[in-house]
């Protein structure tokens, strides 16, 4: 009877050990599954982080491209304004040149008019001298 009780106790212990081993195995499987799930979640989060970093870098690159385009447009506007300024300066110089040419023409016309007046005065003086000589000749002729 004692042997039977010992055998029953041994069998119960073996059954308990087997049950304990099963529980430990189930717990280990659950732990492994949890670790795999945590690793998968960490990997997914890393992939999302890498994608976010790539997206931020692309946005920064796009902003840099837009900045370069704006700088180029600003430089083009400045260039156009400088060209307009140079054209206006050339127009002012052309107007000044035309005014100078007109002034030179006016001075030449005044000189020409003065020369004509001088020539007319010389002709008038010569005519007066001629008339005086003719009168003198007439007086001389009449005196004889």
């Amino acid at each position: 009877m004692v042997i039977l009780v010992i055998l029953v106790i041994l069998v119960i212990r073996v059954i308990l050990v087997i049950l304990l081993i099963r529980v430990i195995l189930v717990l280990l499987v659950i732990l492994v599954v949890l670790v795999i799930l945590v690793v998968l979640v960490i990997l997914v989060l890393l992939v999302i982080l890498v994608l976010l970093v790539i997206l931020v870098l692309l946005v920064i690159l796009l902003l840099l491209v837009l900045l370069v385009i704006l700088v180029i447009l600003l430089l083009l506007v400045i260039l156009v304004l400088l060209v307009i300024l140079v054209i206006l300066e050339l127009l002012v110089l052309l107007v000044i040149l035309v005014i100078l040419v007109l002034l030179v023409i006016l001075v030449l016309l005044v000189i020409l008019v003065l020369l004509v007046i001088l020539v007319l005065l010389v002709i008038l003086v010569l005519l007066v001298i001629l008339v005086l000589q003719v009168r003198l000749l007439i007086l001389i002729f009449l005196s004889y």
Side-chain angles (χ1 to χ4, degrees):
M1 189 70 188
V2 169
I3 290 181
L4 190 65
V5 167
I6 289 177
L7 275 173
V8 167
I9 288 177
L10 278 174
V11 167
I12 289 176
R13 282 184 77 184
V14 167
I15 289 175
L16 280 174
V17 166
I18 290 175
L19 280 174
L20 185 64
I21 289 174
R22 284 179 136 194
V23 166
I24 288 174
L25 281 175
V26 166
L27 284 174
L28 278 174
V29 167
I30 288 174
L31 184 68
V32 166
V33 167
L34 281 175
V35 166
I36 289 174
L37 281 174
V38 166
V39 167
L40 282 174
V41 166
I42 289 174
L43 283 174
V44 166
L45 287 175
L46 280 174
V47 166
I48 289 174
L49 183 69
V50 166
L51 286 174
L52 280 174
V53 167
I54 290 174
L55 184 68
V56 165
L57 288 175
L58 282 174
V59 166
I60 289 174
L61 183 69
L62 180 68
L63 287 175
L64 282 174
V65 166
L66 284 174
L67 182 68
V68 166
I69 289 173
L70 283 175
V71 166
I72 289 173
L73 283 174
L74 182 67
L75 287 175
L76 281 174
V77 165
I78 289 173
L79 183 72
V80 166
L81 287 175
L82 283 174
V83 166
I84 289 173
L85 187 68
V86 166
I87 289 174
L88 284 174
E89 186 178 336
L90 287 174
L91 282 174
V92 166
L93 286 174
L94 184 70
V95 166
I96 289 173
L97 186 71
V98 165
I99 289 173
L100 285 175
V101 166
L102 287 175
L103 281 174
V104 166
I105 290 174
L106 184 67
V107 166
L108 287 175
L109 281 174
V110 166
I111 290 173
L112 183 69
V113 165
L114 287 175
L115 281 175
V116 166
I117 290 174
L118 186 67
V119 165
L120 286 175
L121 280 174
V122 165
I123 290 174
L124 184 67
V125 165
L126 287 176
L127 280 175
V128 166
I129 290 173
L130 184 70
V131 165
L132 287 175
Q133 281 183 354
V134 165
R135 281 182 66 194
L136 187 63
L137 280 175
I138 291 174
L139 282 175
I140 290 174
F141 182 71
L142 285 177
S143 72
Y144 288 115

